[in-house]
Amino acid sequence: MEQSSMEKYVPLHVCHVNKTSIIINRAHAFLHFIAILFLIHYRLSFFFQHPKNTTIPTLPWLLIFVSELLLSLAWLFTQSYRWRPVTRTVFPERLPADDKLPAIDVFICTADPNKEPSVEVMNTVISAMALAYPPEKLHVYVSDDAGSDVTLRCTKEAWNFARYWVPFCRKYDLVTACPDVYFSSSEVDSGDFEGSEFKAARTKMEEKYEVLKQRIRRIVQQHSTTGDALHNTRDHPSIIEVINEHPEEEDEVKMPLLVYVSREKRPSHHHNFKAGALNVLLRVSTMISNSPYILMLDCDMYCNDPTSTRQAMCYYCDPQTPSSIAFVQFPQTFRNICEDDIYDGEIRNLMKIFWHGFDGVGGPTISGSNFYIKREALLGSFSKQQELMALKRSFGPSNDFIKTLVEDYKPGFIHDGESSRMLLEKANVLASCSYENQTSWGSKVGFLYFCVVEDYFTGFTLHRKGWKSVYLYPKKPQFLGIATTNFNDTSIQWTRWASGLTSVAISKFCPLIYGPLKMSWVQLMCYSELAFMPLLNCLSLWGFALIPQLCLFNDISLYPKVSDSNFNIFFIIFVSAILKSLYEVVTTGGQVLTWRNDWRIWMMRSVTSYFYGSLDVVFNKLGMKEASFLPTNKVIDDEHAKLYEMGIFDFRTATTFLAPLVTVILVNIAAFVRALVVNVVDNDRDGFWEKMFGQMFLSFYILVSNYTVIEGMIIRRDKASIPLYVTLLSGVFSVFILLIGSAILC
């Protein structure tokens, strides 16, 4: 009997181990690591020389050595992603019948209607309702953290349009579930679209969509021109409303449940940013639909492929899949990325390289959006025999909520006027800002509150408990969002991420200390790389950007002569790193220009966003500053978008982001130009060129890689160039660094 059942078993998914990549990655790591050991030996041997045999000051040698060690440690951590990369294939056509599929709740989070355009948000809502899944098993929740009447009214308008859009998608088997993309795309969707019936239906549907956009824009305009604009986003009651104005029997097909949720906010309570909103959704959805699986979406991340639900279920419905899989993560992909992605908006290293390797050693962490997660992983599993008071201490005082925990994911919502009203009143209690007081919410239950990167920390904790995850990267993007396309927004976004990651790195939850339980050591290194990335990169890059240059400015050599065999060590390490990164970019669909842009934005982030994010955590630890959460601006400015598409940097950002970049460039220019002048005027005195070649090349490489900053300072005169006052201010900083640095280091 057992053999017969095994013969009938057909897998719903397959994992492919990339053996060629493993061989290349491990061979390169081995050779590169040997070169690093030679570098360490070279640096250490300096400290054992007799003082009479060297004229080089100890402090700059020590500082550059520390910078090299930090960068080497950062490189070592990244090798964990390259240890065992895998890719995955799913077979949704093999899933069981619809009546055997589990229910799914969809969480869509929005926080600010002024920064997150309502038309875009509603397109995400509509695309979620049009997912290719049994409608009675699909429930969509819109979390409005601003408590804005605009979002509630727009959600109702979206529901009215979805009543026609969802049947239209199902009838004609559309593979583009987002109306805005469908009607603006020149590509022909799948199916038979030549008949006059379809053409008439499409024209009618497009007219309805135009009406929807006009109504949404009118609502937003009324909000901005009336007293509603004075609404306090941090002081409002909870609102939960089931958007179902038309009984199901009047609809041609069944519709997914759509629920609007706005949690209570009061100035006297800390609201824990996005994680707090997600935990309210967890409680409210448990009372209403209580689906065993949850799809998490950002408000600008619409469902591009309606079959993502079925692809994710290939892992949860496969009888041979371990029950320990907590979530299925899809990549973050974006529709507004141009070929010359100068700000690395698509986060290509993470999504196309690192996460495949993360998947091969236990699974990636939660990545903000686009993941299907098991509710049990967030809340735990329970039995009716568990003590009621113990459950209340963890989950709060609501008896009705605790009852749902032990009822094996039975939905609570009933389409009956009085019963629905009572249920929503109970759900409103769960959305109050004081409900979590003296409970385990945010510390042991739900999404965790320790830092602003709740996705990373929650995923890390789940893996630490023994849960697994998978990374599914289909050929067709399952979800498409809007990436930041200007330097200001991308700097703010990365500063926030850097702050959250660093707060984990220097806390009791540091992966190197807190992690070793049920995680493999390679997966632990992946988490450590993320946590320490801002600190390691900003400290090492600041060292490389200033220390050799100050020494070059004062005729102090930190690298071997070109004729010295030790020079080959540095040459090999540099070329090895360059070629490996270029290989990875090209093999993942990028070009040489893509590689150049990746290196440049990495250097820029290291001396700006990573630096300020790490500094923010230090100030917070000292009680000098409280961590803040600024929603990224998703409003697309035509002028910003035009510059981005042309590959031109938009430097309209705060002086705090520009000054470090310009200062580094000016210091490197001063050091490089002085070295050239000395070499020419003094006719290569005492072999100056050979002795200083390493430092001159480093400055030259920094200047060439960041030519766009020089261009913004000197050549460009448009509104998006670097202002003159920033250049002058940075000039003062540069002179100060050259004078003080020379006095200290030399």
Side-chain angles (χ1 to χ4, degrees):
M1 288 295 291
E2 289 183 7
Q3 186 177 358
S4 175
S5 62
M6 288 298 293
E7 289 176 356
K8 292 181 180 179
Y9 168 71
V10 180
L12 295 178
H13 58 88
V14 175
C15 178
H16 312 278
V17 180
N18 302 332
K19 295 182 179 179
T20 303
S21 296
I22 289 176
I23 294 172
I24 293 173
N25 291 342
R26 295 185 184 182
H28 172 264
F30 176 74
L31 296 174
H32 194 88
F33 184 68
I34 290 176
I36 290 175
L37 291 179
F38 276 106
L39 182 150
I40 294 173
H41 176 267
Y42 171 77
R43 290 295 185 196
L44 286 175
S45 62
F46 170 85
F47 299 106
F48 296 98
Q49 294 181 24
H50 195 279
K52 293 182 179 180
N53 297 333
T54 180
T55 59
I56 302 174
T58 302
L59 182 58
W61 189 277
L62 178 63
L63 290 176
I64 197 62
F65 184 30
V66 170
S67 299
E68 290 166 348
L69 286 177
L70 292 176
L71 195 59
S72 298
L73 181 59
W75 170 84
L76 183 62
F77 279 142
T78 61
Q79 298 317 296
S80 56
Y81 299 117
R82 299 174 172 93
W83 189 253
R84 188 178 179 270
V86 301
T87 55
R88 297 180 182 271
T89 304
V90 293
F91 309 99
E93 67 277 4
R94 300 176 182 175
L95 282 170
D98 286 359
D99 60 338
K100 295 182 179 179
L101 293 175
I104 298 174
D105 291 342
V106 183
F107 291 176
I108 301 172
C109 293
T110 181
D112 189 343
N114 296 317
K115 292 187 175 182
E116 298 161 340
S118 296
V119 171
E120 298 287 347
V121 176
M122 293 308 120
N123 266 278
T124 300
V125 173
I126 293 165
S127 69
M129 296 184 70
L131 285 167
Y133 209 70
E136 67 278 6
K137 296 186 175 184
L138 189 64
H139 319 94
V140 181
Y141 292 82
V142 179
S143 170
D144 175 21
D145 225 24
S148 173
D149 184 57
V150 169
T151 306
L152 176 57
R153 292 170 62 189
C154 290
T155 304
K156 292 180 178 180
E157 294 292 344
W159 163 261
N160 288 329
F161 173 77
R163 290 178 57 243
Y164 303 98
W165 172 252
V166 172
F168 176 73
C169 291
R170 291 177 186 157
K171 182 176 181 180
Y172 296 104
D173 195 25
L174 300 189
V175 298
T176 303
C178 177
D180 190 67
V181 176
Y182 177 74
F183 292 121
S184 62
S185 175
S186 58
E187 296 181 7
V188 179
D189 214 322
S190 64
D192 180 15
F193 302 126
E194 299 300 324
S196 58
E197 178 188 350
F198 165 75
K199 292 180 179 179
R202 188 188 189 281
T203 301
K204 186 177 180 181
M205 192 58 58
E206 190 168 8
E207 291 172 354
K208 288 183 180 294
Y209 180 61
E210 289 300 320
V211 171
L212 170 68
K213 289 195 294 184
Q214 291 173 10
R215 288 180 175 175
I216 291 176
R217 287 166 182 161
R218 194 179 303 123
I219 291 171
V220 174
Q221 186 177 11
Q222 290 173 353
H223 169 78
S224 61
T225 57
T226 64
D228 291 340
L230 300 176
H231 171 76
N232 190 342
T233 60
R234 293 185 57 83
D235 190 3
H236 57 81
S238 61
I239 303 172
I240 301 174
E241 188 168 333
V242 176
I243 314 297
N244 189 6
E245 296 180 353
H246 304 275
E248 279 190 358
E249 56 266 25
E250 294 183 11
D251 294 327
E252 294 181 8
V253 296
K254 290 183 178 180
M255 292 287 291
L257 191 70
L258 179 61
V259 184
Y260 170 89
V261 179
S262 177
R263 58 174 171 156
E264 181 188 14
K265 279 191 170 183
R266 300 301 176 195
S268 58
H269 284 77
H270 184 62
H271 303 294
N272 298 302
F273 313 125
K274 182 180 176 181
L278 288 174
N279 283 340
V280 168
L281 285 181
L282 267 177
R283 295 193 294 270
V284 170
S285 64
T286 301
M287 290 290 292
I288 296 176
S289 52
N290 204 19
S291 300
Y293 300 99
I294 298 165
L295 166 61
M296 173 61 209
L297 292 177
D298 282 341
C299 64
D300 65 318
M301 193 70 70
Y302 72 85
C303 302
N304 184 56
D305 186 345
T307 68
S308 70
T309 48
R310 296 179 180 273
Q311 294 191 45
M313 289 305 114
C314 286
Y315 289 94
Y316 294 122
C317 296
D318 192 327
Q320 299 297 316
T321 301
S323 59
S324 58
I325 290 183
F327 57 93
V328 177
Q329 177 70 59
F330 287 90
Q332 290 197 30
T333 44
F334 305 94
R335 54 172 159 162
N336 61 331
I337 297 294
C338 69
E339 186 176 355
D340 188 13
D341 183 20
I342 56 178
Y343 304 112
D344 187 28
E346 64 175 339
I347 330 173
R348 59 170 292 112
N349 266 348
L350 290 181
M351 297 294 111
K352 294 190 174 184
I353 301 173
F354 288 2
W355 259 223
H356 286 293
F358 215 161
D359 188 15
V361 295
T365 189
I366 296 173
S367 307
S369 180
N370 310 350
F371 61 92
Y372 288 82
I373 190 166
K374 188 180 293 185
R375 189 182 292 266
E376 179 187 342
L378 295 169
L379 299 180
S381 56
F382 310 93
S383 65
K384 295 182 180 180
Q385 287 72 37
Q386 287 184 271
E387 185 185 354
L388 178 62
M389 291 308 297
L391 291 175
K392 283 188 174 184
R393 283 193 293 272
S394 292
F395 295 97
S398 172
N399 290 325
D400 297 288
F401 175 75
I402 292 173
K403 182 181 177 182
T404 63
L405 296 178
V406 297
E407 288 192 348
D408 197 23
Y409 304 111
K410 291 181 181 178
F413 189 76
I414 304 172
H415 290 279
D416 170 79
E418 183 63 22
S419 300
S420 300
R421 185 186 62 80
M422 292 178 62
L423 183 64
L424 291 179
E425 287 180 0
K426 296 173 182 177
N428 263 288
V429 174
L430 300 174
S432 66
C433 58
S434 60
Y435 182 81
E436 296 182 355
N437 293 347
Q438 308 300 318
T439 69
S440 297
W441 285 100
S443 59
K444 297 179 181 179
V445 174
F447 291 89
L448 305 184
Y449 295 157
F450 177 69
C451 61
V452 293
V453 284
E454 78 292 325
D455 49 355
Y456 166 87
F457 190 59
T458 302
F460 170 55
T461 304
L462 289 176
H463 281 127
R464 184 178 177 272
K465 293 178 180 178
W467 290 96
K468 305 293 182 184
S469 62
V470 297
Y471 182 56
L472 191 56
Y473 199 125
K475 291 183 179 179
K476 179 178 180 180
Q478 300 300 289
F479 307 94
L480 284 174
I482 298 175
T484 53
T485 55
N486 62 78
F487 188 57
N488 180 64
D489 289 343
T490 193
S491 297
I492 292 173
Q493 185 179 62
W494 278 93
T495 300
R496 184 174 73 244
W497 291 344
S499 175
L501 293 170
T502 305
S503 65
V504 176
I506 60 175
S507 71
K508 65 178 181 180
F509 300 113
C510 171
L512 296 176
I513 302 171
Y514 188 70
L517 273 184
K518 297 184 179 180
M519 296 167 61
S520 69
W521 66 271
V522 188
Q523 188 182 25
L524 186 63
M525 283 184 64
C526 292
Y527 272 108
S528 299
E529 192 279 333
L530 285 171
F532 286 98
M533 174 188 65
L535 270 175
L536 293 177
N537 283 298
C538 81
L539 293 176
S540 59
L541 263 290
W542 270 108
F544 282 111
L546 296 180
I547 305 302
Q549 292 72 12
L550 289 171
C551 292
L552 178 61
F553 195 78
N554 292 276
D555 299 345
I556 299 173
S557 176
L558 293 180
Y559 295 99
K561 294 180 180 180
V562 177
S563 58
D564 189 337
S565 60
N566 288 314
F567 182 82
N568 294 328
I569 299 172
F570 296 90
F571 176 77
I572 290 171
I573 290 175
F574 178 79
V575 172
S576 169
I578 293 290
L579 292 180
K580 185 60 164 61
S581 63
L582 181 59
Y583 164 79
E584 290 178 337
V585 167
V586 172
T587 54
T588 53
Q591 301 174 353
V592 175
L593 186 62
T594 309
W595 166 81
R596 191 277 311 268
N597 291 337
D598 285 355
W599 272 83
R600 179 176 63 194
I601 199 65
W602 170 69
M603 286 188 262
M604 288 183 170
R605 284 176 187 157
S606 295
V607 298
T608 55
S609 297
Y610 294 166
F611 173 70
Y612 287 123
S614 302
L615 202 62
D616 176 76
V617 176
V618 173
F619 285 160
N620 180 251
K621 295 291 184 182
L622 297 174
M624 299 169 62
K625 187 177 182 295
E626 184 177 351
S628 59
F629 177 86
L630 296 174
T632 304
N633 186 14
K634 299 297 182 180
V635 178
I636 299 178
D637 182 272
D638 291 338
E639 192 174 353
H640 286 313
K642 186 177 180 180
L643 289 171
Y644 171 70
E645 290 170 3
M646 295 169 62
I648 299 175
F649 253 78
D650 188 342
F651 289 108
R652 285 173 290 186
T653 185
T655 304
T656 50
F657 287 120
L658 291 180
L661 289 177
V662 179
T663 300
V664 166
I665 294 301
L666 290 176
V667 169
N668 277 267
I669 289 176
F672 185 73
V673 170
R674 183 191 176 279
L676 284 180
V677 170
V678 168
N679 197 44
V680 172
V681 173
D682 286 4
N683 195 22
D684 193 23
R685 74 171 180 205
D686 301 326
F688 182 85
W689 172 262
E690 186 183 26
K691 185 171 63 173
M692 293 296 181
F693 176 79
Q695 283 152 261
M696 290 181 67
F697 176 79
L698 179 60
S699 285
F700 179 74
Y701 180 75
I702 291 173
L703 293 175
V704 170
S705 300
N706 294 277
Y707 172 74
T708 186
V709 180
I710 301 174
E711 186 182 44
M713 292 164 47
I714 302 171
I715 301 174
R716 289 169 53 186
R717 287 294 179 265
D718 54 277
K719 292 190 296 184
S721 63
I722 297 174
L724 178 60
Y725 75 87
V726 173
T727 304
L728 294 175
L729 179 63
S730 301
V732 174
F733 290 152
S734 303
V735 171
F736 179 80
I737 289 172
L738 288 170
L739 293 176
I740 302 300
S742 299
I744 295 175
L745 296 179
C746 310

